[in-house]
Amino acid sequence: MNVTVARLTVRGLLGRRSGILLLVVPALLLLVAVIARLTADTPEDLAATVLGRLGMGTLLPILALVVGTGVIATEIEDGSIVYLLAKPLPRHWIVTTKLTVAIAATWLLAAVPMLIAGLLLCGTRDGVAVAYAAGTLVAGAAYSALFLLLGVATRHAVVAGLGYALVWESLVGNFVPGARTLSIQQWGLSVAKSIAVQGSIAADVALTVAVPLLVVVAVASTLLAAVRLGGLTLAGEE
Amino acid sequence: MAVITIDRVSRWFGNVVAVNDVSMQIGPGVTGLLGPNGAGKSTLIHMMSGFLPPSAGEVALDGVPIWRNQEVYRAIGLVPERESMYDYLTGWEFVLANAELHGLADPAAAARRALGLVEMEYAQDRKTGTYSKGMKQRVKMASALVHDPAVLLLDEPFNGMDPRQRLQLMELLRRFGAEGRTVLFSSHILEEVEQLARHIEVVVAGRHAASGDFRRIRRLMTNRPHRYLVRSSDDRRLAAALIADGSTAGIEFDGQERALRIQAVDFQGFTTLLPRVAKDAGIRLYTVSPADESLESVFSYLVAS
Ligand SMILES: Nc1ncnc2c1ncn2[C@@H]1O[C@H](COP(=O)(O)OP(=O)(O)O)[C@@H](O)[C@H]1O
Ligand SMILES: [Mg+2]
C-alpha cells in the first residue's frame, strides 16, 4: 500500500467524467427497489430479480468494470502511469494499492446500496438483505481484481470485461448451465445462499467450489497484474 | 558520476527495426540526441528510462541493467514526450505527489524547490489541465527534478515551447550539465542541439550515424564524401567523360549492380556536373541514387532545416 498512489487513484476515479456513472449505478438500484417497494404487493418476491439479476447480475459487474479499469487502464492509456512507474516503488505495491481502492469503491457503491435495497424489499426477513450484500462484497472483490488485470493486460479492457460479464456470465450462462460454474456472479450468489435462511436464495454453484474459485481468481489476477505492470512498456509514436 | 552505457542495442517491433545495433555512452554534461522523426530517439530514451527492454544488447546505468530495476529511478529523472499528466491535480499537488512517491524525507520542501527551479510557483495552484504546452513541460520537468537526480532524460523537451521558455529551459539544462549531471535530450532540430549540447549523438533510421561535438558533426555533414550509384545508357563512356572532367574522386563499375559507383568530391558541384557531362556526351541517365540513402537523407535534412 502506498498512500500517495491511493490518493491519486481516488481522485482519478472521482475526477473524471466516468465518476458520474459510478453514482448512476447505485442510484438505479435504489430507485428500482423503492418503486418495487411502493408498487408490489409482496416486494420480497422481487428480491431475486432486483437484487440477484439486476443488482449482482448486471449493475455490479458494470460498476466493477468502470472502477477496475478506471483505477489503472485510463492512466496506462494516456501514458500518465509513467509518473508512478518511474519511481523506486515496487510495482506490486502499485497494483495492490489500486486494487484496494477499487475494492473499497465497489463495496461502497455496490454492497452498501445492495444492503439498503435488500432492506427496502425484504426488511430483515430470512437474512436476505445481508446475504445479498455479502455476496456482493465477495463478488465485487473478485470482479475488481479481474477487471484491474484486464486494464493492465489489454488496451481493450472495457470490451473484454463487458464480454465476460454480459456475454459469458449472463447470455451464455443463461443457456449453458456449465458456464455458470465459471461465473463470479454465481460464486457471489453461492455465498449469499449460504448466509440467508435455506431456500430463500438460489445458486447454481456449491459453496465448496465457489469460495476456492473466488480466492483463486482474486489472487491470480492480482499476481498477474503485478507481473504485467512490472514489464509494462511504453509504446512509441506510431 | 553517472554514465549510461548502451551496448550493441537493437530494438525491433514486429519487423520494424527501430534501433539497430547502437552503442554509445552518455556521461556527465549535456548530450543532444539528434535525428529526424522516426529515427529511434524515443525508443532509445524508453530503453534508457526502463520502459522498454532492448531486443538485443544491454542498457545500463553505471554498470547496472536498467530494465526491470526500479532502484534506478533514485538516480534518473524522466521527462516523457507525452503531455498527459493527472489533469485534475494542481501543479503543486502533482509535483508534491511525485516527491512523495520518491519517498523523500521532506516532500513539500522538495516540491517547492523543484517548482522554483522551473519558475512555476505563480501557476502552481491551477489545475495542470489548464496549462499551456510550455507550462506543462515545465511542471513535468519539476516532477523529474524533485529528487535531485544525477541523470535527466528528456524526450523532445522543447516541443511546443515559445522562444522565451525555450531559452529558460536551455539555461536550466546547461546549469545541470555544468553541475556534473548527466543530461540527455532528444530533438529533431539541429539549431536546438547546436545551442545547448556539448556533445551530440546522431541517429538515423535506427543507426548510430555520428558522434562528437558540434563542430565535428558539422564537418561530417558538409565534408563527407558522397557516393552515388548511377545507371545510364552507356556507363563506360559516362565514366570516361567524368574522369576526363576531373571532378570526381573515384569511379568504379559494379558488375553485380550493373551500375557505376561514383564518389563525388563536392555534393553541390556533382549534382550539376553529372547531368551536364551526360548531356554533352549524349548519354541518358537512368538512375542516380545516393549509395548511402538513409544517412544522405538525414544530412541533407539536417543541413536544410
Ligand atoms: N510501439 C511501436 N510499435 C511499432 N513500431 C514502433 C513502435 N515504437 C516505435 N516504432 C517505430 O520505430 C521507429 C522509431 O520510432 P521512435 O523511436 O519513436 O522515433 P523518434 O522518436 O526518433 O521519432 C519508427 O519507425 C516507429 O514507427
Ligand atoms: Mg520521438
Side-chain angles (χ1 to χ4, degrees):
Chain A
M1 277 291 285
N2 177 291
V3 180
T4 310
V5 175
R7 201 179 66 227
L8 290 177
T9 306
V10 170
R11 294 201 48 179
L13 273 183
L14 302 178
R16 285 190 218 99
R17 246 162 283 139
S18 59
I20 304 290
L21 192 58
L22 298 180
L23 296 180
V24 168
V25 166
L28 204 62
L29 181 67
L30 290 174
L31 185 71
V32 171
V34 168
I35 292 173
R37 168 72 191 244
L38 295 179
T39 56
D41 294 332
T42 48
E44 58 270 24
D45 292 347
L46 292 173
T49 311
V50 174
L51 304 177
R53 299 198 78 149
L54 178 68
M56 288 186 65
T58 310
L59 294 180
L60 173 64
I62 290 178
L63 181 92
L65 184 61
V66 175
V67 171
T69 55
V71 294
I72 200 158
T74 328
E75 279 163 85
I76 293 177
E77 186 73 16
D78 72 11
S80 54
I81 192 88
V82 181
Y83 297 100
L84 298 188
L85 298 184
K87 299 290 184 294
L89 281 179
R91 291 189 178 177
H92 60 88
W93 281 18
I94 296 174
V95 167
T96 47
T97 303
K98 284 181 171 289
L99 179 60
T100 307
V101 171
I103 291 176
T106 306
W107 284 0
L108 186 72
L109 296 167
V112 173
M114 191 71 97
L115 181 65
I116 298 171
L119 291 173
L120 278 172
L121 291 177
C122 318
T124 51
R125 228 184 69 182
D126 295 346
V128 169
V130 170
Y132 273 113
T136 305
L137 290 180
V138 290
Y143 276 128
S144 299
L146 180 67
F147 294 149
L148 186 138
L149 169 64
L150 287 182
V152 179
T154 158
R155 302 227 153 203
H156 311 287
V158 173
V159 174
L162 284 177
Y164 171 73
L166 299 185
V167 178
W168 175 261
E169 289 198 344
S170 299
L171 205 64
V172 179
N174 252 343
F175 299 110
V176 187
R180 282 175 231 162
T181 313
L182 291 181
S183 153
I184 293 176
Q185 180 199 347
Q186 288 299 330
W187 304 340
L189 282 173
S190 173
V191 170
K193 178 186 172 188
S194 71
I195 291 174
V197 169
Q198 266 229 312
S200 49
I201 296 178
D204 292 330
V205 183
L207 191 65
T208 47
V209 177
V211 170
L213 285 177
L214 278 165
V215 173
V216 166
V217 164
V219 172
S221 298
T222 309
L223 288 177
L224 278 175
V227 170
R228 255 319 270 221
L229 196 66
L232 191 81
T233 61
L234 285 188
E237 304 297 295
E238 297 318 312
Chain B
M1 266 226 344
V3 177
I4 293 184
T5 308
I6 297 172
D7 186 18
R8 282 163 294 162
V9 164
S10 297
R11 171 71 211 198
W12 44 86
F13 299 99
N15 48 19
V16 177
V17 180
V19 169
N20 190 351
D21 196 25
V22 168
S23 296
M24 55 172 84
Q25 279 207 342
I26 318 287
V30 180
T31 300
L33 186 59
L34 176 65
N37 284 325
K41 303 182 297 295
S42 295
T43 304
L44 276 168
I45 289 182
H46 288 157
M47 290 190 285
M48 287 186 239
S49 55
F51 282 99
L52 196 65
S55 305
E58 191 176 75
V59 183
L61 172 63
D62 292 333
V64 184
I66 290 173
W67 176 242
R68 279 189 188 275
N69 176 10
Q70 270 85 65
E71 285 304 305
V72 295
Y73 297 116
R74 292 190 195 284
I76 292 180
L78 171 68
V79 183
E81 185 176 17
R82 287 180 74 171
E83 249 185 42
S84 39
M85 49 188 273
Y86 303 94
D87 285 348
Y88 43 86
L89 299 181
T90 65
W92 167 256
E93 289 168 336
F94 176 68
V95 179
L96 179 65
N98 276 279
E100 291 172 358
L101 290 168
H102 271 293
L104 302 180
D106 188 350
R112 251 192 312 277
R113 187 188 57 87
L115 281 161
L117 281 174
V118 298
E119 296 178 28
M120 276 297 287
E121 297 109 321
Y122 78 97
Q124 69 178 26
D125 295 323
R126 273 169 55 190
K127 291 232 156 65
T128 59
T130 69
Y131 285 177
S132 71
K133 264 190 142 187
M135 292 164 84
K136 283 190 179 174
Q137 197 63 36
R138 279 191 283 161
V139 165
K140 277 158 60 179
M141 180 82 180
S143 80
L145 292 175
V146 272
H147 60 306
D148 201 17
V151 177
L152 194 57
L153 303 173
L154 309 97
D155 198 356
E156 304 272 356
F158 299 103
N159 268 359
M161 286 200 162
D162 65 35
R164 202 187 62 83
Q165 293 169 337
R166 199 177 293 237
L167 281 181
Q168 194 187 359
L169 180 58
M170 282 192 180
E171 185 46 51
L172 193 61
L173 294 183
R174 224 174 260 133
R175 206 165 85 213
F176 288 142
E179 287 169 8
R181 287 176 222 262
T182 299
V183 178
L184 175 90
F185 73 100
S186 71
S187 170
H188 59 281
I189 297 169
L190 183 65
E191 274 71 28
E192 268 171 19
V193 180
E194 172 179 21
Q195 279 176 50
L196 178 58
R198 274 194 25 208
H199 189 86
I200 300 175
E201 303 288 351
V202 182
V203 286
V204 184
R207 285 181 301 145
H208 191 191
S211 167
D213 68 4
F214 185 72
R215 253 156 299 160
R216 184 176 137 77
I217 301 294
R218 271 275 177 196
R219 233 181 7 249
L220 282 174
M221 280 191 284
T222 45
N223 296 351
R224 58 187 291 277
H226 296 267
R227 295 185 188 82
Y228 293 88
L229 198 72
V230 176
R231 291 192 189 87
S232 67
S233 55
D234 191 338
D235 289 343
R236 223 166 274 279
R237 257 184 345 111
L238 181 63
L242 284 168
I243 290 168
D245 192 276
S247 47
T248 49
I251 299 183
E252 60 185 60
F253 186 74
D254 185 329
Q256 207 166 12
E257 286 278 342
R258 313 199 115 274
L260 292 175
R261 290 196 174 277
I262 303 175
Q263 186 161 336
V265 177
D266 92 291
F267 165 70
Q268 291 298 330
F270 185 72
T271 50
T272 51
L273 167 83
L274 180 65
R276 182 171 53 75
V277 169
K279 187 159 175 266
D280 290 351
I283 298 167
R284 282 210 278 163
L285 295 172
Y286 297 139
T287 324
V288 181
S289 61
D292 197 355
E293 188 128 30
S294 54
L295 272 181
E296 201 66 44
S297 65
V298 75
F299 284 130
S300 52
Y301 164 90
L302 289 175
V303 173
S305 68

